[in-house]
Amino acid sequence: MSDHLFSPLSIRGTEVRNRVMVSPMCQYSCDGDGLATDWHEVHLGSRATGGAGIVMTEATAVEPRGRISPDDLGIWSDDHAEALAPIADFIAERGATPAIQLAHAGRKASKTPPWDGSVPLQPDEGGWETLAPSAVPYPFDEDEPPVTKQMTDDDIAAVKDAFVTGAERALDAGFEIAEVHAAHGYLLHEFLSPATNRREDEYGGDFEGRTRLVREIVSEVRAVWPDDKPVFVRVSATDWLPDRESWTAEETARLAPLLADAGADLIDVSAGGIHPDQQIPQTGPNYQVRYAERVAEETDALVGAVGGISEPAQADALIRNERADLAIVGREHLRDPYFALHAAEELGADEDVEWPIQYRRAVGN
């Protein structure tokens, strides 16, 4: 049988039970300390119970300044790893592959959760000075954006080290996949895009300079991650800023093989997030899949597609038609934690995914 949504995927020495991945989705539920809570255990554990092949945490900050909000998840201390360990264990017990997204929010940090308006927080309100490649704040609507500091060489070295030690802690916590977050306008994407990176040193300027930091971080994470476990990278394929100098799909296609050379096993292809003036050309089912296909043309690395994937037949077609190696499902997993189980029923793949024995008396009723 050809590859389909419920065919297993072998990446290095890791066997993933199917091609459904739970997209990293922030929960803003840490009570200000970055420690995982019961909410995270239930949220992520439910999706593992729901049949997904890979269950990935939300963007998990590698240092306190890397949180989007004070209530974001973190991995900057052993205490954070200890809080995450039972969650990774439960995901694995349910047959899914536990994954973690290592992240730094850069200039989009220090703000309130979305349900409180995503407004900037000043230091006297529990916020902090944000870091960025250049001292250009994110253009919030409010009059007072957080103070944004252009990173020094020492800051860059500290962030690189934070990604590496975050990966080491994540490994100790039991995660099998590490994803480096270089998308959605956060720190590593800010280095990639000329819309936000105005540096004139080795980390700015031309394509080589702007891509240097993400390439170095991927390489250094790969160096501490076991050879039999995968490293993913999430990228924004385009800034969706056609009327100004910005990061483009062409540059993403050029970057993809370099990320593979640095040790990335899968490129998780999203888009946008660098600036509120972005112009999304269309939305709807599969609206970002064309970017994943473009990346796949340029690299031997596996590719994950995300964006507007909500129907089982749609996700299955992505795999069967070789448009992607993983169907990365976000919001539909918020609506239905058991998306993969329902998809298996609809697609006739029940032999590949079984409902938990505790729930089987309800199946088919």
Side-chain angles (χ1 to χ4, degrees):
M1 181 180 291
S2 63
D3 287 341
H4 56 94
L5 191 63
F6 289 97
S7 59
L9 180 63
S10 178
I11 317 175
R12 292 184 177 256
T14 298
E15 292 291 323
V16 179
R17 64 181 173 184
N18 61 54
R19 309 299 185 94
V20 179
M21 181 178 122
V22 178
S23 189
M25 293 177 285
C26 290
Q27 300 296 295
Y28 306 100
S29 300
C30 286
D31 300 326
D33 55 11
L35 295 172
T37 67
D38 291 346
W39 177 268
H40 297 92
E41 185 163 11
V42 172
H43 166 69
L44 296 168
S46 294
R47 277 77 194 164
T49 302
I54 298 172
V55 176
M56 186 169 287
T57 69
E58 65 191 75
T60 306
V62 296
E63 66 165 22
R65 293 178 297 180
R67 293 170 294 167
I68 302 167
S69 83
D71 297 326
D72 282 18
L73 198 59
I75 188 69
W76 62 81
S77 77
D78 292 343
D79 288 343
H80 292 88
E82 290 174 9
L84 284 163
I87 299 174
D89 286 346
F90 184 80
I91 292 169
E93 287 172 7
R94 296 308 315 153
T97 302
I100 187 167
Q101 186 182 67
L102 303 172
H104 195 295
R107 71 176 193 161
K108 293 180 77 175
S110 189
K111 59 183 182 180
T112 62
W115 45 81
D116 289 328
S118 293
V119 297
L121 286 170
Q122 301 303 320
D124 61 355
E125 301 170 321
W128 54 91
E129 177 184 70
T130 66
L131 297 178
S134 303
V136 182
Y138 185 80
F140 291 103
D141 292 336
E142 281 68 26
D143 293 334
E144 284 192 88
V147 174
T148 299
K149 174 189 177 185
Q150 176 167 314
M151 293 173 67
T152 65
D153 290 345
D154 287 344
D155 290 326
I156 290 172
V159 165
K160 288 167 61 177
D161 183 64
F163 270 93
V164 172
T165 56
E168 291 173 328
R169 289 190 177 101
L171 183 65
D172 290 342
F175 290 98
E176 297 180 41
I177 296 171
E179 176 168 275
V180 174
H181 193 0
H184 300 162
Y186 300 121
L187 184 64
L188 299 187
H189 183 189
E190 291 163 18
F191 271 87
L192 293 175
S193 176
T196 45
N197 186 343
R198 303 174 188 176
R199 302 177 73 93
E200 297 179 355
D201 63 3
E202 63 180 342
Y203 289 100
D206 61 9
F207 174 87
E208 181 179 359
R210 287 183 283 109
T211 63
R212 185 183 305 276
L213 183 57
V214 68
R215 290 185 285 111
E216 289 178 346
I217 286 174
V218 171
S219 178
E220 293 183 22
V221 168
R222 175 75 272 169
V224 300
W225 204 248
D227 287 343
D228 61 344
K229 298 183 188 300
V231 170
F232 292 4
V233 182
R234 173 164 273 196
V235 297
S236 278
T238 172
D239 289 344
W240 280 322
L241 293 171
D243 300 327
R244 68 185 75 179
E245 191 177 15
S246 62
W247 183 253
T248 65
E250 290 73 25
E251 287 182 302
T252 297
R254 184 179 171 190
L255 175 63
L258 302 179
L259 293 176
D261 289 344
D265 301 292
L266 182 140
I267 313 297
D268 171 355
V269 186
S270 188
I274 201 76
H275 197 282
D277 289 346
Q278 66 184 17
Q279 300 175 36
I280 304 174
Q282 67 180 60
T283 57
N286 293 346
Y287 75 105
Q288 296 180 110
V289 171
R290 66 185 183 277
Y291 303 125
E293 291 179 299
R294 177 70 185 277
V295 166
E297 291 172 357
E298 302 297 333
T299 178
D300 293 332
L302 300 172
V303 173
V306 66
I309 302 171
S310 60
E311 299 293 335
Q314 172 197 11
D316 187 56
L318 291 175
I319 308 303
R320 288 187 185 272
N321 295 329
E322 300 182 345
R323 303 184 73 188
D325 299 287
L326 273 182
I328 301 174
V329 180
R331 295 185 186 191
E332 190 59 30
H333 267 122
L334 297 182
R335 290 184 283 266
D336 180 7
Y338 308 104
F339 169 80
L341 293 174
H342 290 135
E345 287 185 327
E346 182 174 318
L347 298 170
D350 305 66
E351 73 279 4
D352 298 308
V353 178
E354 291 187 345
W355 282 84
I357 194 168
Q358 297 93 331
Y359 293 174
R360 287 180 197 168
R361 63 181 178 269
V363 176
N365 295 335

